[in-house]
Amino acid sequence: AQSVAQPEDQVNVAEGNPLTVKCTYSVSGNPYLFWYVQYPNRGLQFLLKYITGDNLVKGSYGFEAEFNKSQTSFHLKKPSALVSDSALYFCAVRALGAGNMLTFGGGTRLMVKP
Amino acid sequence: SAVISQKPSRDICQRGTSLTIQCQVDSQVTMMFWYRQQPGQSLTLIATANQGSEATYESGFVIDKFPISRPNLTFSTLTVSNMSPEDSSIYLCSVCEGITEAFFGQGTRLTVV
């Protein structure tokens, strides 16, 4: 069975400071890893993914994430946070043979304060 | 990328009634997924809907409560039957093909009173 953990329910950051939202996963075989963002009253928007290749993945809105196989982590990062980044962030994993099913973490609410 | 239109976007329903949520995709996809997001919670997969076969339900979800139709490769419906306040959630449909990212509809925010 595959699983995702987001250990922080909420992350508070001052605008302009770097941010990190943590994610660890458990899966059999090679993982496909994803980050999604959900703004109030909206669906999920895709941010970035890791399939293979370079461990540092760049995505939308200046976000990036680093795949670390030894630590089974896929933390989301941004060098300089914006107030408009405040939203709910979900990490998700899928493994080959899992029927394309995504397993989501519990979500982390990011609050960026001016 | 796939564009998914989901409707209604929100509804307030009386307990004991049923609501059907529609999901339309702008391209043909093999698998469609229905998720539930309870207030303040993460997404939980309800079922996987393949065209031409019965939907596959996850543990804790049954067809009598959440019947699903998948008449063609671009459309699916989810019905929430005999609703109770505990069914108040956001319901999302999703598609993905191969190893690409999943795409989501905007969600249906359901409130049962």
Side-chain angles (χ1 to χ4, degrees):
Chain A
Q2 53 196 43
S3 65
V4 179
Q6 293 180 241
E8 303 153 316
D9 290 337
Q10 182 162 316
V11 170
N12 298 311
V13 175
E15 188 174 30
N17 283 1
L19 69 87
T20 298
V21 182
K22 296 179 180 177
C23 170
T24 59
Y25 66 90
S26 174
V27 68
S28 299
N30 293 324
Y32 298 150
L33 295 156
F34 306 86
W35 276 101
Y36 288 85
V37 59
Q38 186 178 37
Y39 296 99
N41 301 314
R42 303 287 295 276
L44 268 69
Q45 296 179 32
F46 168 77
L47 275 181
L48 51 80
K49 65 184 176 185
Y50 172 82
I51 303 298
T52 187
D54 194 345
N55 289 344
L56 183 64
V57 178
K58 295 187 182 297
S60 306
Y61 312 121
F63 284 94
E64 59 188 29
E66 185 165 13
F67 171 63
N68 187 317
K69 188 173 184 177
S70 63
Q71 297 185 5
T72 62
S73 67
F74 189 56
H75 301 330
L76 182 69
K77 300 181 180 184
K78 186 173 183 180
S80 179
L82 300 172
V83 173
S84 57
D85 292 330
S86 299
L88 190 56
Y89 290 81
F90 291 99
C91 182
V93 67
R94 182 166 74 233
L96 276 179
N100 281 353
M101 186 184 82
L102 278 174
T103 298
F104 285 86
T108 299
R109 185 165 299 281
L110 175 65
M111 299 291 291
V112 182
K113 299 184 178 179
Chain B
S1 64
V3 177
I4 303 172
S5 300
Q6 191 176 332
K7 58 182 180 181
S9 59
R10 59 176 62 227
D11 208 341
I12 301 173
C13 300
Q14 296 292 323
R15 67 178 67 200
T17 62
S18 298
L19 175 71
T20 296
I21 302 167
Q22 298 180 6
C23 182
Q24 178 76 51
V25 189
D26 68 344
S27 59
Q28 294 184 340
V29 293
T30 305
M31 301 173 77
M32 296 179 73
F33 305 87
W34 287 97
Y35 288 86
R36 181 176 73 181
Q37 185 180 19
Q38 293 178 300
Q41 303 293 316
S42 185
L43 281 76
T44 301
L45 182 65
I46 297 172
T48 302
N50 293 336
Q51 194 268 333
S53 64
E54 293 278 338
T56 303
Y57 289 83
E58 298 299 307
S59 175
F61 298 96
V62 295
I63 188 171
D64 290 346
K65 176 67 175 178
F66 298 101
I68 288 171
S69 77
R70 184 79 201 276
N72 57 53
L73 291 173
T74 64
F75 187 78
S76 179
T77 67
L78 169 76
T79 298
V80 186
S81 303
N82 188 25
M83 289 183 284
S84 67
E86 292 70 34
D87 294 320
S88 298
S89 296
I90 299 173
Y91 293 85
L92 299 108
C93 69
S94 173
V95 304
C96 64
E97 291 287 310
I99 62 172
T100 64
E101 62 273 23
F103 301 100
F104 288 83
Q106 291 296 89
T108 296
R109 183 179 292 273
L110 172 61
T111 303
V112 184
V113 298

